[in-house]
Amino acid sequence: MPASASTTAGAAKPPTKNKALIKWVEEVAALTKPDRIVWCDGSDKERERLTKDAVADGTLIELNQKKRPGCYLHRSNPNDVARVEHLTFICTPTKDEAGPTNQWMAPDEAKKKLTGLCDGAMRGRTMYVVPYVMGPLGSPFSKVGIEVTDSVYVVLNMRIMTRMGKPALDMLGDSGEFNRGLHCLLDVNPERRYITHFPQENLIWSVGSGYGGNALLGKKCLALRIGSYLANREGWLAEHMLILGVESPEGQKTYVAAAFPSACGKTNFAMLLPPKRFDGWKVFTVGDDIAWLRPGPDGRLWAINPENGYFGVAPGTSYKSNPSAMKSLVKDTLFTNVGLTPDGDVWWEGMDNEAPEGTIDWQGKPWKKGAEGKVAHPNSRFTAPMANNPVLSKHVDDPEGVPISAIIFGGRRATTVPLVLQSFNWVHGVFMGATMGSETTAAATGAVGVVRRDPMAMLPFCGYNMGEYFRHWLHFRGLLKYPPRIFMVNWFRKTKEGKFLWPGYGENMRVLKWIIDRALVRTGGAETPVGWVPREGDIDLSGLDISSEAFEEATKVDLNEWRQELESTKDFFDTIGPTMPKALKLQRELLLGVIDAAQGK
Ligand code: GTP
Ligand code: SPV
Ligand code: MN
């Protein structure tokens, strides 16, 4: 560690009397043996100090402070640019509890391995203790976590992504109930990279990666993997969902939650800017990645966003595609693995302008026009405070959350799945979620563009047995007097030539309007063997440049394609094994039977 870190002031003495917390931090320090311990308070002063340290040791590069005040660039190790599903483990006492879709390691074995790796790992380094809250302060839905990390980049990101510091210690009080998260960078080597979760102990142990979902432990590790385990036990849902509110010109507000896999459009949809045709309509963001949902005393489903910022995909973000995201990035934002322009600004593929001459790529190398490599890594990200979002919902800090009228599942599918489809009922809706497929993206390491089943967009994030998770979803219907209606969307259907059929982005408002009208039972639809679709004219296309052939292609339900689709889900259901709920297996057969009937077979 460069000398600059030794100048790091800050509370070395615990600013808390919480015995369980002090004891755990002492245990971690005894293992990792840091040179110094800093308890983070979340103050502006602390941010300034840590940012200065991070710039001094090269972790952050200061951007042009006139153009982007408070903004910095971080270049991660090129071997560490995405989540690593093959190195992510659920460590339950039995393998069955983790289920067939998760990587499993016995808790004792995992602890032994990571204890070995972490022994003395912070020697010469600073250990930061980061108390944080997932969810609005004071909300009964919220959870407190403590992340202990040796990465100043993680601290500065957690400061944006969560309610961090003193408020978290205040909320915790002297309770011993908090998530324990230990994060060690080690030598950032894939050979020594393990993201491990111990749901029964509310414990996370992550080593060898400094990147996003691997290292910001409040996000995917606590809010989804540990969260989903707790949700099953306590009767709620922790989901990979955005939450948005739509306000009609008359002032009626409706909220929807939508699960799309990583890099499939949640941030974009959550910040949707309605097109001109929808003058007077407004969309507000509650959350862009994670939702915690509970039955309310009124029988409706209520949702909070446990996060406090956006860790969003940079490439493709522009004033044209997502102006609210662009406006969220003008200040106090950290950029990871994007390009650096000669005037100290950021650049990525799909921005509004060409990259200027003299741009430096995400690995710090000069980039030349016409060169092959990308300026920004395809999974490059921005970390922006949600307070920057010009269309932030007024209700993000409401302790009880917002009431959800519709749940939307969507994937990246070049064929088969139409623009929008409504389920017949809750079980069919859960089936839609459970059989969701999507082409893989750069958000995780591995091949890109292969269709894989990604139930509820939770395949990488479900902290327990997937069959048990489906059972929980099916059971959930009984907890709701007014269940949200369930839909499926696909913005990514393509022509044979590989061009998107639907313009997407803001134009998705047209589809959202139908979804809301259906959820509020104020418009009709046409019944197909696989679900309800809009009737001709139900989706308003005025002012939109799309041919009627393209629209028909985007919305068509081809029963032969669907037969194939349903047949291919059998393999997936079989891999789930004995915990696969009967209702979903029968639903699959029912749909196939109805297709047979429709085709006179
Ligand atoms: P995570 O943060 O990884 O969970 O991703 P996300 O689901 O929030 O995805 P995001 O909104 O960042 O979008 C990812 C990619 O999908 C970007 O490259 C977008 O440009 C693209 N995208 C988003 N919405 C649309 C759409 O409606 N149509 C098309 N064709 N592309 C879209
Ligand atoms: C995702 O991959 O779904 C993300 C980014 O939101 S990460 O935080 O790395 O999981
Ligand atoms: Mn995500």
Side-chain angles (χ1 to χ4, degrees), residues 262-268 289 313 315 381 412 491-492 504-505 508:
S262 300
C264 290
K266 286 183 300 300
T267 302
N268 277 273
D289 198 49
V313 179
R381 300 262 168 175
R412 192 179 272 271
W491 316 139
F492 300 94
Y505 301 100
N508 294 334

Side-chain angles (χ1 to χ4, degrees), residues 83 219-220 224 240 260-263 266 288-290 311 381 461:
R83 285 180 294 100
K219 193 174 176 60
K220 297 303 172 40
L224 288 180
H240 193 199
F260 309 158
S262 300
K266 286 183 300 300
D288 83 321
D289 198 49
I290 298 176
F311 185 65
R381 300 262 168 175
F461 308 119

Side-chain angles (χ1 to χ4, degrees), residues 119-359:
D119 189 357
M122 295 191 192
R123 227 173 240 133
R125 301 174 62 79
T126 301
M127 178 175 114
Y128 302 94
V129 182
V130 182
Y132 64 95
V133 180
M134 299 309 286
L137 293 177
S139 165
F141 298 176
S142 299
K143 304 262 182 217
V144 175
I146 308 290
E147 176 163 356
V148 172
T149 177
D150 58 353
S151 161
V152 67
Y153 168 80
V154 164
V155 178
L156 290 167
N157 273 270
M158 286 293 282
R159 195 186 181 277
I160 298 173
M161 294 305 295
T162 72
R163 282 106 173 153
M164 187 268 249
K166 189 175 180 303
L169 286 183
D170 291 347
M171 192 168 146
L172 182 63
D174 54 13
S175 165
E177 209 178 298
F178 56 91
N179 178 270
R180 290 155 168 78
L182 170 56
H183 172 247
C184 290
L185 283 172
L186 308 183
D187 56 348
V188 195
N189 181 340
E191 300 290 317
R192 281 181 283 284
R193 183 170 296 160
Y194 296 95
I195 323 299
T196 62
H197 306 72
F198 304 82
Q200 277 86 352
E201 296 168 65
N202 200 2
L203 171 71
I204 303 159
W205 204 335
S206 164
V207 300
S209 167
Y211 195 82
N214 300 331
L216 311 177
L217 301 186
K219 193 174 176 60
K220 297 303 172 40
C221 300
L222 171 53
L224 288 180
R225 297 198 190 94
I226 301 279
S228 61
Y229 170 87
L230 294 174
N232 182 39
R233 222 174 53 185
E234 298 167 1
W236 50 285
L237 294 169
E239 299 297 328
H240 193 199
M241 289 179 177
L242 67 95
I243 308 164
L244 65 79
V246 181
E247 190 177 327
S248 73
E250 298 77 40
Q252 187 182 30
K253 283 184 187 164
T254 314
Y255 295 91
V256 311
F260 309 158
S262 300
C264 290
K266 286 183 300 300
T267 302
N268 277 273
F269 196 48
M271 297 181 180
L272 181 158
L273 184 74
K276 259 211 184 68
R277 177 72 186 83
F278 286 77
D279 217 21
W281 289 81
K282 287 184 201 128
V283 170
F284 296 104
T285 317
V286 181
D288 83 321
D289 198 49
I290 298 176
W292 284 356
L293 308 117
R294 278 172 203 262
D298 60 356
R300 291 190 290 174
L301 180 65
W302 289 75
I304 61 155
N305 167 16
E307 300 190 282
N308 193 43
Y310 310 118
F311 185 65
V313 179
T317 308
S318 67
Y319 275 100
K320 191 158 167 281
S321 65
N322 191 349
S324 298
M326 291 302 281
K327 288 176 196 161
S328 305
L329 311 182
V330 297
K331 59 173 186 185
D332 303 329
T333 297
L334 300 174
F335 296 90
T336 303
N337 294 339
V338 302
L340 176 65
T341 65
D343 60 347
D345 203 357
V346 289
W347 195 88
W348 47 77
E349 279 72 17
M351 235 191 195
D352 300 271
N353 308 319
E354 297 264 296
E357 211 58 68
T359 294

